[in-house]
Amino acid sequence: MSNASRLMNQVRIELWAMTVGVLVNAVLGSALMPRPLRLVGYRLLGARVRSGNIFPGLRVHGPMRNLEIGRRTFLNAECYFEPVAPIRIGEACQFGPQAMIITSHHPTLPDGRVSRVAEGRQVRIGDRVWVGARAQILPGVHIADDVVIAAGAVVTRDCPEPGVYAGVPARLVRKTVPT
């Protein structure tokens, strides 16, 4: 990537932060914004949000068109989503305070350096998933239906079967039978 391309990319990021980013994070994410208006605002900006149960403080850093949230999903206060690549959250999910979803990945270059250019890796979360407070879901992860992610867990790989995943990195600690 040329220096001019890098500069233009950085300018684009800064312009987003000063415009849409302020609207999304400072205005719509405000505790003063009623939930029904927050939902309308997210939809107007391109997010496919089907739940109005989003508490104040949601921070979104990336294109709103990459964010999809299913019906009856609840986001507690101060969650952080980075939809550089698509984030798909199913129906009837529960997110604890300050839960985080990251989609950008910085690959290692052939010379051993880490690339400064992010690659997006989609995150998909099934239905009826519970994500505990301050849990982190990292790029490229798929979480199956009926999974519980423990508070503080760091999910670095897929969670393919119903159960409780805990730890750093998160691992299956108890299988459950879906109801």
Side-chain angles (χ1 to χ4, degrees), residues 1-12:
M1 180 181 272
S2 71
N3 286 337
S5 295
R6 283 190 204 118
L7 178 62
M8 289 306 296
N9 190 45
Q10 191 62 39
V11 167
R12 183 184 54 77

Side-chain angles (χ1 to χ4, degrees), residues 66-146:
N66 283 342
L67 182 59
E68 182 178 336
I69 300 172
R71 298 182 197 289
R72 299 182 326 276
T73 289
F74 168 72
L75 301 181
N76 209 321
E78 299 178 7
C79 290
Y80 177 91
F81 295 166
E82 184 211 33
V84 170
I87 294 174
R88 306 280 184 254
I89 300 170
E91 294 188 0
C93 295
Q94 304 283 325
F95 281 73
Q98 299 181 347
M100 179 183 291
I101 301 174
I102 303 295
T103 65
S104 67
H105 170 76
H106 295 267
T108 303
L109 300 172
D111 64 3
R113 293 180 298 125
V114 175
S115 173
R116 298 180 85 192
V117 178
E119 291 178 359
R121 293 185 177 174
Q122 179 178 354
V123 169
R124 292 177 293 141
I125 298 173
D127 296 335
R128 299 170 306 280
V129 171
W130 187 287
V131 179
R134 290 197 170 178
Q136 299 175 34
I137 300 169
L138 299 185
V141 168
H142 174 237
I143 299 174
D145 295 345
D146 302 302

